[in-house]
Amino acid sequence: MDRKHKHSVKLNDGHYMPVLGFGTYAPADVPKSKAAEATKVAIDVGFRHIDSAYFYQNEKEIGEAIREKIADGTVTREEIFYTTKLWVTFLRPELVRPALERSLKKLQLDYVDLFLIHMPVAMKAGEELIPKDASGKFLLDIVDIRDTWAALEKCKDAGLTRSVGVSNFNHKQLEMILNKPELKYKPVCNQVECHPYLNQSKLLEFCKSKDIVLVAYSALASHRDPNWIDKDIPHLLEEPILNTIAKNHNRTPGQVALRYHLQRGVVVLAKSFNEKRIKENFQVFDFKLTPEDMRAIDGLNRNFRYAKLEHAVDHPYYPYSEEF
Ligand code: NDP
């Protein structure tokens, strides 16, 4: 691996994705300026892969942070790998390109590196981020994800994104895309919740067999936003086995939780808006878990899911009715 692509994985379309990414989602009550400050720290400490989304409503600030770090000479645009996601109110094909253009405008960037379908379950199209009826019920929509995918492919052809991928898809939904007539590009990745309590070993095996990278989110026990997260699921970083392994390596449970993915061929995201923890999360390339450590962490799999997407259980594209 040449220096330029250090700690990166080659995607099925020839581009490279850094294997450790910086997550930028925070619940709505956290000021967006925090995302900008944290992104600058993350770039300073070495993160080159930055994960955001239209839904996070922070792309203006993240774009400013990236452009500032380019302007001060810390990085070039080419060294940054920036991901945005198509929000579920824009899954109708005619809305896809305008949605990406909207993100680019907020970011003040010419292109993104990766554009993902955020979730396969569409919500009612319109300006509301989370459309609900008078009783508070989410208003869903049914859009064929293959049509959405074809519109993403056009965004890649137009140079607005380097790569295209999906998020929160199960293996059958991935197959729907892969088997689509006139498929032009395969998804480069599937970004899903993944951590020792939900290690996604079957989905990972499936993705590897199709040359699709699995990208892990909520690898550090999730943002715990009560709007989305099942708070009854135990906190991963308090897990005794993870703590024992961390002590043995003179590391933190967070570093072990991140390193675990790197050693199993999973690209991993880590969100922190705290300077000390941002630095800590980047220090995962200078130690190695033993095969016994890896087996012990594999043994923690409990199929505990922090984000269950309960609003969508009745939708035909609800991803979690399948085993994987
Ligand atoms: P993580 O699991 O990465 O982090 C959870 C929390 O852990 C953070 O809020 C952080 O708090 C804390 N933390 C960070 N580092 C450490 C550490 N070393 N030790 C102890 N605690 C730590 O959060 P997310 O669920 O947000 O997932 C990461 C990213 O994945 C998101 O930010 C987003 O970019 C993406 N994502 C994508 C989704 C999708 O549907 N595609 C869904 C969810 C997330 P603090 O800031 O105080 O350090």
Side-chain angles (χ1 to χ4, degrees):
M1 177 80 44
D2 52 68
R3 228 183 97 68
K4 191 171 157 218
H5 298 124
K6 205 173 155 205
H7 304 314
S8 293
V9 60
K10 192 173 185 179
L11 303 172
N12 64 35
D13 66 358
H15 292 297
Y16 286 83
M17 172 192 273
V19 293
L20 176 65
F22 181 67
T24 65
Y25 175 77
D29 57 346
V30 177
K32 305 298 176 200
S33 57
K34 298 270 180 218
E37 285 160 29
T39 301
K40 285 188 261 180
V41 174
I43 294 173
D44 281 338
V45 308
F47 281 91
R48 295 292 175 262
H49 173 169
I50 296 161
D51 182 85
S52 188
Y54 179 79
F55 177 67
Y56 304 170
Q57 298 281 290
N58 60 13
E59 292 196 287
K60 180 175 167 286
E61 290 77 7
I62 305 275
E64 276 165 13
I66 293 173
R67 284 181 288 107
E68 197 177 311
K69 286 288 123 192
I70 293 172
D72 77 6
T74 309
V75 282
T76 61
R77 174 66 188 91
E78 281 299 307
E79 287 167 336
I80 291 287
F81 186 99
Y82 177 81
T83 302
T84 191
K85 310 184 191 89
L86 176 72
W87 184 235
V88 293
T89 51
F90 305 122
L91 296 201
R92 289 179 174 259
E94 67 278 14
L95 302 179
V96 171
R97 181 172 174 155
L100 177 53
E101 285 170 339
R102 182 135 55 147
S103 280
L104 288 168
K105 195 165 173 214
K106 282 185 187 287
L107 290 157
Q108 294 282 299
L109 295 177
D110 300 330
Y111 69 92
V112 298
D113 295 276
L114 178 59
F115 188 35
L116 303 180
I117 300 181
H118 204 141
M119 287 177 207
V121 176
M123 285 193 212
K124 184 176 169 286
E127 286 308 305
E128 285 293 317
L129 260 190
I130 303 186
K132 293 179 185 169
D133 69 12
S135 67
K137 196 169 166 281
F138 285 44
L139 294 171
L140 304 181
D141 190 10
I142 295 179
V143 181
D144 189 322
I145 46 179
R146 290 165 292 198
D147 296 338
T148 311
W149 185 255
L152 260 80
E153 290 177 328
K154 289 201 182 99
C155 291
K156 178 171 157 84
D157 283 337
L160 301 178
T161 181
R162 295 253 159 113
S163 298
V164 280
V166 298
S167 178
N168 299 305
F169 275 42
N170 65 35
H171 82 285
K172 290 216 168 132
Q173 294 165 335
L174 285 171
E175 258 169 354
M176 271 177 78
I177 305 280
L178 295 172
N179 297 333
K180 180 180 116 49
E182 293 166 34
L183 178 76
K184 189 157 184 199
Y185 303 115
K186 280 166 54 160
V188 296
C189 73
N190 186 20
Q191 185 184 117
V192 293
E193 179 174 335
C194 186
H195 43 71
Y197 285 154
L198 179 74
N199 72 21
Q200 303 274 21
S201 55
K202 288 190 177 166
L203 186 61
L204 176 59
E205 199 181 319
F206 176 85
C207 285
K208 282 186 177 174
S209 76
K210 306 289 181 194
D211 197 12
I212 293 171
V213 170
L214 192 145
V215 179
Y217 73 69
S218 297
L220 298 166
S222 98
H223 48 76
R224 309 188 88 71
D225 178 346
N227 290 317
W228 299 99
I229 298 302
D230 182 346
K231 293 271 245 184
D232 296 333
I233 304 274
H235 198 299
L236 173 73
L237 302 184
E238 289 162 11
E239 170 61 46
I241 290 179
L242 222 53
N243 279 270
T244 305
I245 294 172
K247 260 201 201 94
N248 292 343
H249 290 273
N250 207 10
R251 298 285 166 153
T252 67
Q255 289 171 319
V256 172
L258 297 174
R259 180 74 206 177
Y260 169 65
H261 292 299
L262 300 181
Q263 288 186 215
R264 60 202 290 262
V266 165
V267 169
V268 64
L269 303 177
K271 177 266 171 183
S272 179
F273 286 1
N274 170 283
E275 186 165 348
K276 182 175 156 283
R277 289 189 286 278
I278 296 171
K279 284 185 184 150
E280 178 184 318
N281 293 343
F282 199 72
Q283 302 307 314
V284 289
F285 295 109
D286 57 350
F287 76 108
K288 213 169 167 205
L289 298 169
T290 65
E292 296 75 48
D293 295 334
M294 291 298 287
R295 267 196 296 279
I297 303 173
D298 280 339
L300 292 174
N301 191 36
R302 306 276 186 273
N303 291 317
F304 284 165
R305 197 182 282 283
Y306 289 112
K308 297 189 169 66
L309 307 183
E310 269 161 344
H311 67 277
V313 281
D314 298 327
H315 192 282
Y317 285 153
Y318 181 67
Y320 309 142
S321 340
E322 292 296 326
E323 186 198 351
F324 67 100

